[in-house]
Structures are given as C-alpha cells and as structure tokens.
Amino acid sequence: MPTDWTPAALSDDIPAASAAPGQLGPHDLAIWRSASGRIAAWADRCPHRGMRLSHGYVRGERLSCIYHGWGYGEGGQCVRIPAHPELTPPEAIKVPVFRAVEASGVIWVAVEAPEAPPPEFPGFEAFRSLQVKAAPEALAGALGGSGLVVEAALGGATVVALIQPLRDGAVGLHLLAPEALGAAELDALSVAAEALRRRVEEGVTA
Ligand code: FES
C-alpha cells in the first residue's frame, strides 16, 4: 500500500453526531463525527475510568463518555466534568488522538500524519464494508490481486477493494463501486461480496 493511512470505516457509516468503534493495528479507536461534520479518531478509552468512548454520545463538537458524562472537545481535551460543573478540567486529562481524514468516502486513520495524503479513487464511490474472518493475503488472493488495495471484478462490476487488517484473524473489506451503478447492479455487487466472504471464510479461493 503506497501510504501509511489505514481505511477504518466508510464516511456514510459515521453520520453527524455519532460514534462507533474501530481499529488501527493494536489500538482500539472511537471514531466519531461532530454535529458540524468534523471526523475524529481517538483512543477508545475514557481517561476517567477507562470505559469505551465509542459507547459515548455526541453533543455539538464534543464527545461525552456514557458512564459519568465527562466531555471531551477538540484535540481530546476534557472540557467538562458534570459532577464538578464549576471546575475547569486540568489539561492533563486528555484522550490520545489519532489522525483521521476522509477521501473517496473513506475514513482513513494513522498514528502519525503520513507524508502523503490518502489515495483518491476518481470515478468510484464508497459502497459498503464487510468484516471477513480471513488473513489479508487470502482475501486479496480471492479478489485476484495482492496487497491491501485491489482492483477487482466482482458481481459484474470493477470495484476497488480496500483491505484493513484487523485483530483476531479478521479483516475489514471496504468496497468502492463505480459511480454510475444503478440499484440493481449495486444489489448484485452486494450479493457477490457476501458470496466472496463465505468462500474466503470457508477457504475456497478458486
Ligand atoms: S469512565 Fe468515562 S466519565 Fe467515567
């Protein structure tokens, strides 16, 4: 892959004012989007007692922990502790923040900012993500390619497949479809993607 960016989710899967769990190598992520549309990827661990921030809720530009309501603003800084509303939280109370940008309808994450921006795929749009219980090489091979970005024929269309290594023997498969596809073609692509997942999980790659 000609970049250190990792595809972690599709933009449409994280609508405004929502949060979801994700992964980046060994790191658990809370991927969230503010009410104004700003995307962020933070460590999925509340500095208070370690609960998952991906279970939290978004109000405006702030992600709050579901457990005791501590609120975190831009840069991961704690900005509100409901039990002590008069207190300005110390600067040290901060969530570790990862890089997150969007390109081609995909949310890309990285530990440090890579030199190059994430890849763009003109003519394609984000379609859907699946999780597959397989090694990245097995999935790439089943798509007729190698590496973590594969252009493949699937369900009668040419697609871009972004493969995200996950822990526990799984991968994320983020599919980009040609922009011009109609509903029936997208349905066929969905069916083909699910059939591919079954084949790969059963170890049948031919
Ligand atoms: S664990 Fe998050 S606010 Fe208490």
Side-chain angles (χ1 to χ4, degrees), residues 31-32 62 80 109 115 127 156 194:
I31 303 173
W32 69 282
R62 180 192 301 168
R80 186 163 188 273
V109 296
E115 283 179 17
F127 174 52
E194 284 161 18

Side-chain angles (χ1 to χ4, degrees), residues 45-53 64-72 82:
R45 186 178 161 79
C46 178
H48 181 217
R49 291 199 185 155
M51 304 303 188
R52 285 191 178 277
L53 286 171
S64 294
C65 179
I66 196 76
Y67 294 94
H68 311 97
W70 289 26
Y72 301 91

Side-chain angles (χ1 to χ4, degrees), residues 32-157:
W32 69 282
R33 190 184 298 281
S34 73
S36 72
R38 189 169 49 85
I39 198 74
W42 292 358
D44 196 8
R45 186 178 161 79
C46 178
H48 181 217
R49 291 199 185 155
M51 304 303 188
R52 285 191 178 277
L53 286 171
S54 57
H55 294 170
Y57 56 94
V58 178
R59 294 278 186 279
E61 303 305 294
R62 180 192 301 168
L63 174 63
S64 294
C65 179
I66 196 76
Y67 294 94
H68 311 97
W70 289 26
Y72 301 91
E74 194 156 1
Q77 178 64 50
C78 183
V79 292
R80 186 163 188 273
I81 298 177
H84 303 282
E86 74 294 342
L87 181 79
T88 300
E91 271 187 28
I93 304 179
K94 193 180 262 193
V95 184
V97 169
F98 297 88
R99 306 285 171 165
V101 298
E102 294 178 273
S104 293
V106 178
I107 299 167
W108 301 83
V109 296
V111 176
E112 301 289 345
E115 283 179 17
E120 299 267 5
F121 301 96
F124 289 87
E125 59 188 6
F127 174 52
R128 64 172 288 193
S129 294
L130 298 87
Q131 199 173 111
V132 184
K133 282 275 181 197
E137 309 77 41
L139 180 57
L143 286 160
S146 61
L148 298 177
V149 180
V150 179
E151 195 167 304
L154 191 63

Side-chain angles (χ1 to χ4, degrees), residues 132-134 138 142 194-206:
V132 184
K133 282 275 181 197
E194 284 161 18
L196 171 77
R197 171 168 60 188
R198 281 195 298 277
R199 282 204 314 277
V200 174
E201 290 183 343
E202 289 164 7
V204 182
T205 55

Side-chain angles (χ1 to χ4, degrees), residues 167-182:
R167 299 195 299 273
D168 303 324
V171 290
L173 171 60
H174 307 288
L175 285 173
L176 278 60
E179 283 173 350
L181 289 194

